Amino acid sequence: MWGTVGALWGIGGVLLLLSSAVWRLTPVGLAALEAPLGAGHTLFLVLWMVFMLWSEGYRGFHLGFAPRVVARARYLREHPRPLHVALAPLYCMGFVHATARRRVTSLAVTAGIVALVVLVRRFPQPWRGLVDLGVVVGLAAGILSLAWYAARGFGPRPLPVSPEVPGGGSGAAAG
């Protein structure tokens, strides 16, 4: 039972974190559209949104982050420990009980995101809002991808990634 609670808390917590970012960034992005945009702004917005949908939404979330979160949630369901269940969102994101490489990667990606957030906050409107709209599109795709993997991730079929827990663990990628 606790394993199921941990898996649901882990995936739900990650979904809440991503949804919170979308909720906060959307008004800033929409504010950019209230100002008159030139052709350069419009071209940037279209190209940026396509790029973010592909790079963040598909490559980042769908191919990497989302299946790994679900693989780690599945592993947590099968191997619950009280601390891991309590910290399930952090566990599912690879900050807790992960291989050294996964922890370093998770920390590096998080640090990079924080640095980009600090940088983008300094952009004047409409540029900040246009960048944020692209991020919102990428995050929304990531949320959908995570929901899709979560819906199918607890069946008998293996996920396309390993949970990257110390000592190997079940749920590794199928060939």
Side-chain angles (χ1 to χ4, degrees), residues 7-154:
L8 292 173
W9 164 226
I11 292 171
V14 173
L15 285 169
L16 284 171
L17 179 68
L18 298 173
S19 298
S20 171
V22 168
W23 181 260
R24 286 189 326 268
L25 293 176
T26 298
V28 177
L30 293 176
L33 300 179
E34 293 173 4
L37 299 179
H41 294 113
T42 304
L43 179 63
F44 172 80
L45 177 60
V46 170
L47 294 176
W48 179 245
M49 289 180 99
V50 168
F51 174 76
M52 289 302 286
L53 187 59
W54 175 77
S55 67
E56 183 182 10
Y58 178 70
R59 289 186 45 94
F61 277 104
H62 191 71
L63 296 180
F65 183 79
R68 183 152 295 104
V69 165
V70 174
R72 290 182 60 78
R74 179 192 274 187
Y75 187 88
L76 179 60
R77 183 189 69 186
E78 296 166 1
H79 306 90
R81 293 185 188 166
L83 182 62
H84 297 165
V85 170
L87 301 174
L90 296 173
Y91 180 96
C92 289
M93 290 189 292
F95 292 109
V96 175
H97 190 66
T99 62
R101 180 178 177 178
R102 169 55 35 209
R103 279 194 316 270
V104 167
T105 300
S106 296
L107 288 168
V109 168
T110 301
I113 290 168
V114 169
L116 288 173
V117 166
V118 169
L119 177 68
V120 170
R121 281 188 177 175
R122 296 178 179 269
F123 289 6
Q125 280 288 29
W127 295 108
R128 177 182 176 192
L130 300 178
V131 169
D132 284 350
L133 285 174
V135 172
V136 165
V137 167
L139 288 172
I143 289 167
L144 293 174
S145 182
L146 182 54
W148 184 77
Y149 275 108
R152 66 183 285 267
F154 290 96

